[in-house]
Amino acid sequence: GSPDRRPGSAMLLPMRMLLCAALLAFTAPVASATPPAPDRAPAPDAPDRAAVLETMKRAATFMIEKVSTRGGYVWTYLPDLSRRWGELEATESMIWVQPPGTASMGHLFLDAYHATSDEFYYRAAEQVARALIWGQHESGGWNYMIDFGGDRALRHWYDTIGKNGWRLEEFHHYYGNATFDDAGTVESARLLLRLYLEKLDPAYKPALDKAIAFVLESQYPIGVWPQRYPLRHEFSHHGLPDYSSFATFNDEVASENIEFLIQVYQTLGDPKVLDAIVRGMNAFLVTQLGPGQPGWALQYTLDLKPAGARTYEPNSLHTGTTYRNVDLLLRFYQITGETKFLARIPEALAWLDSVALPPELATGGRTHPTFVELGTNRAVYVHREGSNVVNGRYYADYDPARTLVHYSGFQRLDVPSLRRRYQEVKALKPADVAASSPLTPGAGLKPLPRFFTVRLDQDGRPRPAGGRAATPLTAAEVVGALNTEGYWLAPLRMTSHPYRGDGSKTPAPGDFGSTNVGDETDTSMFEDDTLMGISTSAFIRNMGVLIRELTQH
């Protein structure tokens, strides 16, 4: 998936930030924030502890008793629960695995347990874990969603809603396997790891072991991972090969897997994962292209040649992935002290400078084209025509006008800042870096942090998750905003056309080239700033504010 097309995607913290935190705590939280200053004085109308605890309990009880489906969640709901959505509309028997869905809610409940010592929240996290274990693929991973209606119900969803989401091609075919896309598998595995470590309850060990084995077994010998596993090759889309077996960097597949394995190694000391961690980090070196184009692609064929994926992801180099991978190489150096991770960074930075947008296109904070043509370094832009899955198509050319809305043709990359950080990291002594690394022999086991859905201040106190709120809410505002029914009414921001049948072969009137959604048969999500309802992202954000209030006073 693409980060700019997921409602609530601010709940995910990129791996480049996680590995930085790993140097301090040998692991990392998993949500981003726009925090208030850590030394901010308490608001004069700050609620007392009893009011905070009562609000948390009421809100959590509503989500558990009224909203959840057998312990699991999607992303957003209408207030009467008559419609619900993950990345596409979901049925009543479905739960969503991708953050900020089921596993993210489990992490929040564990965080609330740590902040309150109330077993109510631990039991809530257990309910989430049971839902995830029910839907765990036999191989050990997870699909994007789980359907308690069983395989037949899930296939029907794919044949109707999934197949007609024009821009969401990953849902056009039911593979029947598991995916690393959008961190769903590792976020679920991480929750099982946290639950097991919490009380060493053996009930979670078999599912956790299966999840760890899945990450290890699916890794290619050279260190990269496919997007989906067990491998499938049967879905050719618009004449393009099935990309699900390709080595994938898109949506932090490789980096999230490495980060999870580091957490396993630091907490369980499992020697099997160390080799996988090392090979995973080395894969970032061997996939960087040579002189002239020393960047990275979103994904690669198994002989490590750049490859396309969805029809709006052409075979090209990707500037955003190159930026993130440089950042990750800096993190890898910071946890290994091995200078090989620094060796070719200057080349990549110089290449990013060379493909920056010309002044007439560098507007609104944009700095780079998203895609760069192999061999020529020309910017490539993606467009679409038609009105739905049946009659529509995506195509690429060199025209920067009227590009896609749902998958930006431009990036905002702060290359000068990244270059400064390279100089700072390069100045670190390898011996000093290795001394604090979780991978150093004899380092001993280290605990996970107490909080995952809130970030930590430098003093170790949690910050509330940011979501899409314009400014961070105070605890008093969060307490006051909980309605009488027990939930926070929040902007859902996205909606979709209900499934009406497959689209026509004849395009509908209108221009859908720069819209999120096509005609009324397109089930893709589109923006609606008027729609209000129940949001897991808002719930996690608001609970994070209250957790912070409890822990700082």
Side-chain angles (χ1 to χ4, degrees), residues 229-246:
Y229 191 81
L231 300 179
R232 301 282 190 269
H233 306 281
E234 73 266 21
F235 185 54
S236 175
H237 195 218
H238 284 253
L240 299 174
D242 191 319
Y243 65 86
S244 62
S245 65
F246 290 171

Side-chain angles (χ1 to χ4, degrees), residues 535-547:
S535 161
T536 55
S537 179
F539 174 80
I540 293 169
R541 181 188 67 238
N542 290 339
M543 290 287 281
V545 172
L546 300 181
I547 288 171

Side-chain angles (χ1 to χ4, degrees), residues 11 30-31 56-57 59-61 63-64 73 100-116 118 120-122 124-126 128 187 191 194 450-454 462-465 488 535-548:
M11 298 304 301
V30 294
M56 290 176 63
K57 182 67 72 72
T61 299
M63 295 297 285
I64 295 165
Y73 301 83
T102 298
S104 300
M105 290 289 287
H107 285 294
L108 182 279
F109 290 136
L110 272 185
D111 289 356
Y113 173 63
H114 290 158
T116 65
D118 188 339
F120 167 82
Y121 296 108
Y122 182 79
E126 288 191 302
V128 170
E187 191 77 339
L191 178 64
R194 290 185 75 194
R450 294 176 65 221
F451 301 101
F452 268 55
T453 58
V454 290
R463 297 171 176 171
W488 287 289
S535 161
T536 55
S537 179
F539 174 80
I540 293 169
R541 181 188 67 238
N542 290 339
M543 290 287 281
V545 172
L546 300 181
I547 288 171
R548 176 184 172 84

Side-chain angles (χ1 to χ4, degrees), residues 486-505:
Y487 66 88
W488 287 289
L489 188 66
L492 301 189
R493 306 192 185 278
M494 303 288 281
T495 187
S496 67
H497 297 310
Y499 172 68
R500 293 181 170 89
D502 294 347
S504 169
K505 294 181 180 179

Side-chain angles (χ1 to χ4, degrees), residues 33-43 455-464 472 548-549 551-553:
T34 304
D39 56 353
R40 181 182 67 177
R455 291 178 60 197
L456 300 181
D457 290 330
Q458 290 184 349
D459 59 4
R461 298 183 306 193
R463 297 171 176 171
R548 176 184 172 84
E549 185 70 19
T551 56
Q552 70 179 355
H553 298 303

Side-chain angles (χ1 to χ4, degrees), residues 210-231:
K210 280 178 61 177
I212 295 171
F214 175 80
V215 178
L216 296 177
E217 180 183 317
S218 59
Q219 187 183 29
Y220 290 122
I222 201 166
V224 291
W225 280 272
Q227 187 192 72
R228 302 192 67 98
Y229 191 81
L231 300 179

